[in-house]
Amino acid sequence: MALDKSLWKNYKVNDNQQAREEIILKHLGLVRYAVGRIIIMLPDHIEAEDLESYGIIGLIEALEKFDYQRGVEFSTFALPRIKGEIYDYLRSKDWLPDNMRRELKQVKEERENFKAETGREPGQSELAKRAGIKEDRLNTIERHSQLANWISLSHEFEGVELMELIAADLDQAVDKLTDEEAVSLLTKKIDMLSENEKLVLTLYYYEELTQVEIAEVMELSAARVSQIHSQAIRRLRGMLSRSKEYFF
């Protein structure tokens, strides 16, 4: 939100700490917005309160560096820095427990063995059976691993598009599609989802609502929205995996 320049001047020129505190309080909504956009794609054990704490650090750093005389909105300047602190925190965490890392190693080996034996990629049920784990567990550990990789490699996690998220195992195949073909394929697959799944994806990726805002719109708990989101992504990835032949 835009603030009167006199408030910024009172802080920047006169070092008025009351003005500083007022600016921070008026922009806490930016932190909540950033957390709401990020947390919907994270594992359940990541707490929103932890993300907010680091987001506030980013807000304060932005406050210190902001030049109010340049004519740029503070929210525009601060939001990337808020997200940056959250990403730094997430990158510092050990996302995957040892047992999950062992399972991922086993899955990778079985995927490679299957491909060597058959000349094709295994389906999720085939891979789960060979690795000796349940399919739901396979979906969970692969999703968490992919999220950890994104956060480790990129400061632009927030910019991940829906197609990128659901096509984690199909990168080369998706690269062969034009943007128009990718959108067309994705639209067809989304139409096959339940109404709640379609609504969550629409509100999050196209209307850019936060998890909390979606929960209010749908009159559900934030946890239930997160569950629906994860289920929709899992189903879309499964549909795309079964559509690989159309990529070539």
Side-chain angles (χ1 to χ4, degrees), residues 46-190:
I46 303 296
E47 298 289 340
E49 290 80 6
D50 292 336
L51 302 189
E52 288 176 1
S53 296
Y54 285 88
I56 290 172
I57 293 173
L59 174 64
I60 293 172
E61 289 180 353
L63 180 76
E64 302 298 335
K65 296 177 181 178
F66 182 64
D67 183 352
Y68 73 97
Q69 294 180 309
R70 294 188 62 181
V72 177
E73 289 288 343
F74 178 66
S75 58
T76 302
F77 179 83
L79 194 56
R81 288 156 180 82
I82 292 170
K83 293 177 185 175
E85 283 293 331
I86 295 173
Y87 300 149
D88 285 345
Y89 163 68
L90 291 171
R91 277 190 289 274
S92 72
K93 291 186 67 64
D94 185 6
W95 275 60
L96 304 178
D98 289 342
N99 65 322
M100 188 175 286
R101 293 185 189 279
R102 287 193 295 269
E103 288 172 314
L104 281 167
K105 182 179 179 181
Q106 177 69 13
V107 167
K108 182 179 179 180
E109 291 174 354
E110 292 300 338
R111 187 191 300 277
E112 292 172 352
N113 291 339
F114 185 96
K115 190 172 181 179
E117 294 168 10
T118 66
R120 66 176 177 85
E121 291 282 347
Q124 288 296 89
S125 60
E126 294 172 314
L127 185 57
K129 185 176 181 180
R130 287 187 64 120
I133 61 178
K134 294 182 179 180
E135 190 170 348
D136 285 349
R137 176 63 176 173
L138 175 62
N139 290 330
T140 297
I141 65 175
E142 287 190 331
R143 173 173 170 264
H144 289 185
S145 175
Q146 188 64 38
L147 288 169
N149 288 339
W150 276 328
I151 289 177
S152 296
L153 297 173
S154 174
H155 288 265
E156 299 299 331
F157 180 70
E158 179 70 9
V160 172
E161 297 292 337
L162 180 56
M163 176 57 84
E164 293 177 277
L165 181 61
I166 63 178
D169 297 326
L170 303 171
D171 291 340
Q172 292 181 344
V174 172
D175 285 344
K176 295 178 181 293
L177 298 178
T178 66
D179 289 344
E180 184 176 346
E181 289 170 336
V183 170
S184 176
L185 175 65
L186 183 57
T187 300
K188 289 178 182 177
K189 300 306 180 184
I190 289 176

Side-chain angles (χ1 to χ4, degrees), residues 223-240:
R224 178 57 182 153
V225 169
S226 180
Q227 184 181 41
I228 293 171
H229 175 272
S230 297
Q231 177 178 297
I233 296 301
R234 185 168 61 250
R235 290 189 62 198
L236 284 173
R237 291 182 68 186
M239 288 184 221
L240 280 179

